[in-house]
Amino acid sequence: MNARSHQRVPGATDTVTPRQPRGQERVITGNRQTSWAFADAFVAEDEALRWARDRARDAGLRSVAPSTGAALRLLAASVDAKAVAEIGTGCGVSGIHLLHGMRPDGVLTTVDPEPEHQQFARQAFRACGFASNRARFIPGPALDVLPRLADSGYDLVFCDGDRLEYSDYLAESLRLLRPGGLVVFEGVFASGRTVDAGPQPTEVVRLRELLRTVRESPELVTSLLPVGDGLLCAVKR
């Protein structure tokens, strides 16, 4: 052992911070909440996006956070997406971000059980200047629609539907994606409940199961992005 190993760092104490166990989630702190707020404020949204957010709010629907939308744009651009499948159209907020990140000739296939919500999305896409052939709207429950979509035909699948069905969406997404394609799940933090040690509803239990499955899959390269309410991303090998 050399002499440098015995030198004390000025101001250092003998307190040692315990190392985080491998694979264990850290507690969400107030500082991180401030950082997330800054990330949302960093992204400017245009009038069409604000209109879509207002329609979603009126309908009692969740919309992705601005920082989540920015991440979706980035992810779609990173895979040069030409074909994207979206589970959960809502009123078009996430779809607008995806379309902005996709190739100019790309097509978004978006699935939602509520045709009325999809009509709002159509209006929002049109207001953003997207041609009508840039989006294909399919009304119906996701697990009825997804089996009809083409194997290995998609560059990215974005899942923002029923949290209880996320594990089923994963199985369908792996079939739909080409090698190197991305599957993305929104809302996996469940407003902080996913990392809460107390008893949780079935939705949160299913999210925890999804996180474990994705993290442990040898077929996937994964990352959990701390934007919005948590964005779970995985690349299919």
Side-chain angles (χ1 to χ4, degrees), residues 43-58:
V43 180
E45 294 196 328
D46 59 21
E47 185 176 346
L49 268 168
R50 291 193 295 271
W51 182 89
R53 284 192 183 283
D54 289 342
R55 300 294 77 73
R57 189 180 304 111
D58 293 343

mmCIF file with all atom_site columns, all heavy atoms in Angstrom, residues 43-58:
data_model
loop_
_atom_site.group_PDB
_atom_site.id
_atom_site.type_symbol
_atom_site.label_atom_id
_atom_site.label_alt_id
_atom_site.label_comp_id
_atom_site.label_asym_id
_atom_site.label_entity_id
_atom_site.label_seq_id
_atom_site.pdbx_PDB_ins_code
_atom_site.Cartn_x
_atom_site.Cartn_y
_atom_site.Cartn_z
_atom_site.occupancy
_atom_site.B_iso_or_equiv
_atom_site.pdbx_formal_charge
_atom_site.auth_seq_id
_atom_site.auth_comp_id
_atom_site.auth_asym_id
_atom_site.auth_atom_id
_atom_site.pdbx_PDB_model_num
ATOM 1   N N   . VAL A 1 43 ? -38.951 21.955 -22.184 1.00 0.00 ? 43 VAL A N   1
ATOM 2   C CA  . VAL A 1 43 ? -39.531 21.604 -23.486 1.00 0.00 ? 43 VAL A CA  1
ATOM 3   C C   . VAL A 1 43 ? -40.670 22.570 -23.818 1.00 0.00 ? 43 VAL A C   1
ATOM 4   O O   . VAL A 1 43 ? -41.637 22.677 -23.066 1.00 0.00 ? 43 VAL A O   1
ATOM 5   C CB  . VAL A 1 43 ? -40.071 20.164 -23.471 1.00 0.00 ? 43 VAL A CB  1
ATOM 6   C CG1 . VAL A 1 43 ? -40.674 19.804 -24.816 1.00 0.00 ? 43 VAL A CG1 1
ATOM 7   C CG2 . VAL A 1 43 ? -38.958 19.192 -23.099 1.00 0.00 ? 43 VAL A CG2 1
ATOM 8   N N   . ALA A 1 44 ? -40.554 23.266 -24.940 1.00 0.00 ? 44 ALA A N   1
ATOM 9   C CA  . ALA A 1 44 ? -41.619 24.173 -25.386 1.00 0.00 ? 44 ALA A CA  1
ATOM 10  C C   . ALA A 1 44 ? -42.646 23.392 -26.213 1.00 0.00 ? 44 ALA A C   1
ATOM 11  O O   . ALA A 1 44 ? -42.272 22.589 -27.073 1.00 0.00 ? 44 ALA A O   1
ATOM 12  C CB  . ALA A 1 44 ? -41.029 25.306 -26.213 1.00 0.00 ? 44 ALA A CB  1
ATOM 13  N N   . GLU A 1 45 ? -43.925 23.622 -25.929 1.00 0.00 ? 45 GLU A N   1
ATOM 14  C CA  . GLU A 1 45 ? -44.990 22.954 -26.679 1.00 0.00 ? 45 GLU A CA  1
ATOM 15  C C   . GLU A 1 45 ? -45.806 23.997 -27.443 1.00 0.00 ? 45 GLU A C   1
ATOM 16  O O   . GLU A 1 45 ? -46.074 25.090 -26.929 1.00 0.00 ? 45 GLU A O   1
ATOM 17  C CB  . GLU A 1 45 ? -45.887 22.150 -25.743 1.00 0.00 ? 45 GLU A CB  1
ATOM 18  C CG  . GLU A 1 45 ? -45.175 20.986 -25.089 1.00 0.00 ? 45 GLU A CG  1
ATOM 19  C CD  . GLU A 1 45 ? -46.115 19.973 -24.481 1.00 0.00 ? 45 GLU A CD  1
ATOM 20  O OE1 . GLU A 1 45 ? -47.211 20.372 -24.011 1.00 0.00 ? 45 GLU A OE1 1
ATOM 21  O OE2 . GLU A 1 45 ? -45.763 18.791 -24.469 1.00 0.00 ? 45 GLU A OE2 1
ATOM 22  N N   . ASP A 1 46 ? -46.210 23.631 -28.651 1.00 0.00 ? 46 ASP A N   1
ATOM 23  C CA  . ASP A 1 46 ? -46.940 24.580 -29.487 1.00 0.00 ? 46 ASP A CA  1
ATOM 24  C C   . ASP A 1 46 ? -48.435 24.553 -29.181 1.00 0.00 ? 46 ASP A C   1
ATOM 25  O O   . ASP A 1 46 ? -48.910 23.803 -28.329 1.00 0.00 ? 46 ASP A O   1
ATOM 26  C CB  . ASP A 1 46 ? -46.670 24.309 -30.968 1.00 0.00 ? 46 ASP A CB  1
ATOM 27  C CG  . ASP A 1 46 ? -47.071 22.901 -31.393 1.00 0.00 ? 46 ASP A CG  1
ATOM 28  O OD1 . ASP A 1 46 ? -47.901 22.273 -30.697 1.00 0.00 ? 46 ASP A OD1 1
ATOM 29  O OD2 . ASP A 1 46 ? -46.562 22.430 -32.423 1.00 0.00 ? 46 ASP A OD2 1
ATOM 30  N N   . GLU A 1 47 ? -49.173 25.375 -29.910 1.00 0.00 ? 47 GLU A N   1
ATOM 31  C CA  . GLU A 1 47 ? -50.603 25.536 -29.650 1.00 0.00 ? 47 GLU A CA  1
ATOM 32  C C   . GLU A 1 47 ? -51.373 24.244 -29.872 1.00 0.00 ? 47 GLU A C   1
ATOM 33  O O   . GLU A 1 47 ? -52.292 23.918 -29.129 1.00 0.00 ? 47 GLU A O   1
ATOM 34  C CB  . GLU A 1 47 ? -51.164 26.644 -30.539 1.00 0.00 ? 47 GLU A CB  1
ATOM 35  C CG  . GLU A 1 47 ? -52.630 26.972 -30.270 1.00 0.00 ? 47 GLU A CG  1
ATOM 36  C CD  . GLU A 1 47 ? -53.132 28.134 -31.107 1.00 0.00 ? 47 GLU A CD  1
ATOM 37  O OE1 . GLU A 1 47 ? -52.300 28.847 -31.691 1.00 0.00 ? 47 GLU A OE1 1
ATOM 38  O OE2 . GLU A 1 47 ? -54.358 28.315 -31.171 1.00 0.00 ? 47 GLU A OE2 1
ATOM 39  N N   . ALA A 1 48 ? -51.010 23.472 -30.909 1.00 0.00 ? 48 ALA A N   1
ATOM 40  C CA  . ALA A 1 48 ? -51.710 22.224 -31.193 1.00 0.00 ? 48 ALA A CA  1
ATOM 41  C C   . ALA A 1 48 ? -51.541 21.219 -30.055 1.00 0.00 ? 48 ALA A C   1
ATOM 42  O O   . ALA A 1 48 ? -52.488 20.520 -29.674 1.00 0.00 ? 48 ALA A O   1
ATOM 43  C CB  . ALA A 1 48 ? -51.216 21.619 -32.507 1.00 0.00 ? 48 ALA A CB  1
ATOM 44  N N   . LEU A 1 49 ? -50.345 21.159 -29.494 1.00 0.00 ? 49 LEU A N   1
ATOM 45  C CA  . LEU A 1 49 ? -50.115 20.260 -28.359 1.00 0.00 ? 49 LEU A CA  1
ATOM 46  C C   . LEU A 1 49 ? -50.906 20.709 -27.136 1.00 0.00 ? 49 LEU A C   1
ATOM 47  O O   . LEU A 1 49 ? -51.498 19.883 -26.426 1.00 0.00 ? 49 LEU A O   1
ATOM 48  C CB  . LEU A 1 49 ? -48.626 20.194 -28.031 1.00 0.00 ? 49 LEU A CB  1
ATOM 49  C CG  . LEU A 1 49 ? -47.832 19.081 -28.707 1.00 0.00 ? 49 LEU A CG  1
ATOM 50  C CD1 . LEU A 1 49 ? -46.343 19.304 -28.542 1.00 0.00 ? 49 LEU A CD1 1
ATOM 51  C CD2 . LEU A 1 49 ? -48.227 17.729 -28.141 1.00 0.00 ? 49 LEU A CD2 1
ATOM 52  N N   . ARG A 1 50 ? -50.934 22.008 -26.894 1.00 0.00 ? 50 ARG A N   1
ATOM 53  C CA  . ARG A 1 50 ? -51.696 22.509 -25.750 1.00 0.00 ? 50 ARG A CA  1
ATOM 54  C C   . ARG A 1 50 ? -53.189 22.231 -25.931 1.00 0.00 ? 50 ARG A C   1
ATOM 55  O O   . ARG A 1 50 ? -53.890 21.900 -24.975 1.00 0.00 ? 50 ARG A O   1
ATOM 56  C CB  . ARG A 1 50 ? -51.430 24.001 -25.549 1.00 0.00 ? 50 ARG A CB  1
ATOM 57  C CG  . ARG A 1 50 ? -50.004 24.300 -25.071 1.00 0.00 ? 50 ARG A CG  1
ATOM 58  C CD  . ARG A 1 50 ? -49.876 25.735 -24.583 1.00 0.00 ? 50 ARG A CD  1
ATOM 59  N NE  . ARG A 1 50 ? -50.083 26.695 -25.659 1.00 0.00 ? 50 ARG A NE  1
ATOM 60  C CZ  . ARG A 1 50 ? -49.109 27.152 -26.445 1.00 0.00 ? 50 ARG A CZ  1
ATOM 61  N NH1 . ARG A 1 50 ? -47.853 26.722 -26.270 1.00 0.00 ? 50 ARG A NH1 1
ATOM 62  N NH2 . ARG A 1 50 ? -49.363 28.030 -27.397 1.00 0.00 ? 50 ARG A NH2 1
ATOM 63  N N   . TRP A 1 51 ? -53.672 22.357 -27.170 1.00 0.00 ? 51 TRP A N   1
ATOM 64  C CA  . TRP A 1 51 ? -55.081 22.052 -27.460 1.00 0.00 ? 51 TRP A CA  1
ATOM 65  C C   . TRP A 1 51 ? -55.376 20.579 -27.161 1.00 0.00 ? 51 TRP A C   1
ATOM 66  O O   . TRP A 1 51 ? -56.398 20.250 -26.543 1.00 0.00 ? 51 TRP A O   1
ATOM 67  C CB  . TRP A 1 51 ? -55.384 22.377 -28.924 1.00 0.00 ? 51 TRP A CB  1
ATOM 68  C CG  . TRP A 1 51 ? -56.816 22.139 -29.316 1.00 0.00 ? 51 TRP A CG  1
ATOM 69  C CD1 . TRP A 1 51 ? -57.849 23.035 -29.228 1.00 0.00 ? 51 TRP A CD1 1
ATOM 70  C CD2 . TRP A 1 51 ? -57.358 20.927 -29.855 1.00 0.00 ? 51 TRP A CD2 1
ATOM 71  N NE1 . TRP A 1 51 ? -59.005 22.437 -29.667 1.00 0.00 ? 51 TRP A NE1 1
ATOM 72  C CE2 . TRP A 1 51 ? -58.746 21.158 -30.058 1.00 0.00 ? 51 TRP A CE2 1
ATOM 73  C CE3 . TRP A 1 51 ? -56.829 19.685 -30.171 1.00 0.00 ? 51 TRP A CE3 1
ATOM 74  C CZ2 . TRP A 1 51 ? -59.594 20.174 -30.586 1.00 0.00 ? 51 TRP A CZ2 1
ATOM 75  C CZ3 . TRP A 1 51 ? -57.671 18.705 -30.683 1.00 0.00 ? 51 TRP A CZ3 1
ATOM 76  C CH2 . TRP A 1 51 ? -59.037 18.951 -30.893 1.00 0.00 ? 51 TRP A CH2 1
ATOM 77  N N   . ALA A 1 52 ? -54.497 19.694 -27.604 1.00 0.00 ? 52 ALA A N   1
ATOM 78  C CA  . ALA A 1 52 ? -54.689 18.263 -27.353 1.00 0.00 ? 52 ALA A CA  1
ATOM 79  C C   . ALA A 1 52 ? -54.661 17.965 -25.858 1.00 0.00 ? 52 ALA A C   1
ATOM 80  O O   . ALA A 1 52 ? -55.446 17.140 -25.355 1.00 0.00 ? 52 ALA A O   1
ATOM 81  C CB  . ALA A 1 52 ? -53.622 17.454 -28.090 1.00 0.00 ? 52 ALA A CB  1
ATOM 82  N N   . ARG A 1 53 ? -53.768 18.618 -25.120 1.00 0.00 ? 53 ARG A N   1
ATOM 83  C CA  . ARG A 1 53 ? -53.727 18.435 -23.663 1.00 0.00 ? 53 ARG A CA  1
ATOM 84  C C   . ARG A 1 53 ? -55.035 18.880 -23.009 1.00 0.00 ? 53 ARG A C   1
ATOM 85  O O   . ARG A 1 53 ? -55.552 18.218 -22.106 1.00 0.00 ? 53 ARG A O   1
ATOM 86  C CB  . ARG A 1 53 ? -52.568 19.232 -23.060 1.00 0.00 ? 53 ARG A CB  1
ATOM 87  C CG  . ARG A 1 53 ? -51.214 18.631 -23.270 1.00 0.00 ? 53 ARG A CG  1
ATOM 88  C CD  . ARG A 1 53 ? -50.166 19.301 -22.402 1.00 0.00 ? 53 ARG A CD  1
ATOM 89  N NE  . ARG A 1 53 ? -48.866 18.735 -22.677 1.00 0.00 ? 53 ARG A NE  1
ATOM 90  C CZ  . ARG A 1 53 ? -48.468 17.546 -22.223 1.00 0.00 ? 53 ARG A CZ  1
ATOM 91  N NH1 . ARG A 1 53 ? -49.267 16.843 -21.454 1.00 0.00 ? 53 ARG A NH1 1
ATOM 92  N NH2 . ARG A 1 53 ? -47.275 17.077 -22.533 1.00 0.00 ? 53 ARG A NH2 1
ATOM 93  N N   . ASP A 1 54 ? -55.577 19.998 -23.481 1.00 0.00 ? 54 ASP A N   1
ATOM 94  C CA  . ASP A 1 54 ? -56.834 20.488 -22.925 1.00 0.00 ? 54 ASP A CA  1
ATOM 95  C C   . ASP A 1 54 ? -57.976 19.512 -23.191 1.00 0.00 ? 54 ASP A C   1
ATOM 96  O O   . ASP A 1 54 ? -58.818 19.264 -22.313 1.00 0.00 ? 54 ASP A O   1
ATOM 97  C CB  . ASP A 1 54 ? -57.177 21.858 -23.516 1.00 0.00 ? 54 ASP A CB  1
ATOM 98  C CG  . ASP A 1 54 ? -56.263 22.968 -23.015 1.00 0.00 ? 54 ASP A CG  1
ATOM 99  O OD1 . ASP A 1 54 ? -55.591 22.765 -21.972 1.00 0.00 ? 54 ASP A OD1 1
ATOM 100 O OD2 . ASP A 1 54 ? -56.218 24.025 -23.675 1.00 0.00 ? 54 ASP A OD2 1
ATOM 101 N N   . ARG A 1 55 ? -58.027 18.941 -24.390 1.00 0.00 ? 55 ARG A N   1
ATOM 102 C CA  . ARG A 1 55 ? -59.087 17.979 -24.706 1.00 0.00 ? 55 ARG A CA  1
ATOM 103 C C   . ARG A 1 55 ? -58.949 16.735 -23.823 1.00 0.00 ? 55 ARG A C   1
ATOM 104 O O   . ARG A 1 55 ? -59.938 16.182 -23.358 1.00 0.00 ? 55 ARG A O   1
ATOM 105 C CB  . ARG A 1 55 ? -59.006 17.569 -26.188 1.00 0.00 ? 55 ARG A CB  1
ATOM 106 C CG  . ARG A 1 55 ? -59.150 18.675 -27.198 1.00 0.00 ? 55 ARG A CG  1
ATOM 107 C CD  . ARG A 1 55 ? -60.536 19.320 -27.213 1.00 0.00 ? 55 ARG A CD  1
ATOM 108 N NE  . ARG A 1 55 ? -60.758 20.222 -26.122 1.00 0.00 ? 55 ARG A NE  1
ATOM 109 C CZ  . ARG A 1 55 ? -60.193 21.449 -26.029 1.00 0.00 ? 55 ARG A CZ  1
ATOM 110 N NH1 . ARG A 1 55 ? -59.330 21.856 -26.938 1.00 0.00 ? 55 ARG A NH1 1
ATOM 111 N NH2 . ARG A 1 55 ? -60.477 22.234 -25.025 1.00 0.00 ? 55 ARG A NH2 1
ATOM 112 N N   . ALA A 1 56 ? -57.714 16.295 -23.624 1.00 0.00 ? 56 ALA A N   1
ATOM 113 C CA  . ALA A 1 56 ? -57.486 15.128 -22.768 1.00 0.00 ? 56 ALA A CA  1
ATOM 114 C C   . ALA A 1 56 ? -57.923 15.428 -21.334 1.00 0.00 ? 56 ALA A C   1
ATOM 115 O O   . ALA A 1 56 ? -58.561 14.589 -20.684 1.00 0.00 ? 56 ALA A O   1
ATOM 116 C CB  . ALA A 1 56 ? -56.016 14.723 -22.806 1.00 0.00 ? 56 ALA A CB  1
ATOM 117 N N   . ARG A 1 57 ? -57.583 16.603 -20.842 1.00 0.00 ? 57 ARG A N   1
ATOM 118 C CA  . ARG A 1 57 ? -57.967 16.981 -19.475 1.00 0.00 ? 57 ARG A CA  1
ATOM 119 C C   . ARG A 1 57 ? -59.489 17.005 -19.341 1.00 0.00 ? 57 ARG A C   1
ATOM 120 O O   . ARG A 1 57 ? -60.047 16.516 -18.359 1.00 0.00 ? 57 ARG A O   1
ATOM 121 C CB  . ARG A 1 57 ? -57.369 18.345 -19.130 1.00 0.00 ? 57 ARG A CB  1
ATOM 122 C CG  . ARG A 1 57 ? -57.529 18.738 -17.671 1.00 0.00 ? 57 ARG A CG  1
ATOM 123 C CD  . ARG A 1 57 ? -56.904 20.096 -17.388 1.00 0.00 ? 57 ARG A CD  1
ATOM 124 N NE  . ARG A 1 57 ? -55.496 20.121 -17.777 1.00 0.00 ? 57 ARG A NE  1
ATOM 125 C CZ  . ARG A 1 57 ? -55.007 20.817 -18.798 1.00 0.00 ? 57 ARG A CZ  1
ATOM 126 N NH1 . ARG A 1 57 ? -55.816 21.562 -19.539 1.00 0.00 ? 57 ARG A NH1 1
ATOM 127 N NH2 . ARG A 1 57 ? -53.715 20.782 -19.082 1.00 0.00 ? 57 ARG A NH2 1
ATOM 128 N N   . ASP A 1 58 ? -60.167 17.553 -20.345 1.00 0.00 ? 58 ASP A N   1
ATOM 129 C CA  . ASP A 1 58 ? -61.632 17.606 -20.314 1.00 0.00 ? 58 ASP A CA  1
ATOM 130 C C   . ASP A 1 58 ? -62.245 16.207 -20.296 1.00 0.00 ? 58 ASP A C   1
ATOM 131 O O   . ASP A 1 58 ? -63.304 15.992 -19.709 1.00 0.00 ? 58 ASP A O   1
ATOM 132 C CB  . ASP A 1 58 ? -62.164 18.373 -21.529 1.00 0.00 ? 58 ASP A CB  1
ATOM 133 C CG  . ASP A 1 58 ? -61.794 19.851 -21.501 1.00 0.00 ? 58 ASP A CG  1
ATOM 134 O OD1 . ASP A 1 58 ? -61.415 20.346 -20.413 1.00 0.00 ? 58 ASP A OD1 1
ATOM 135 O OD2 . ASP A 1 58 ? -61.865 20.496 -22.565 1.00 0.00 ? 58 ASP A OD2 1
#
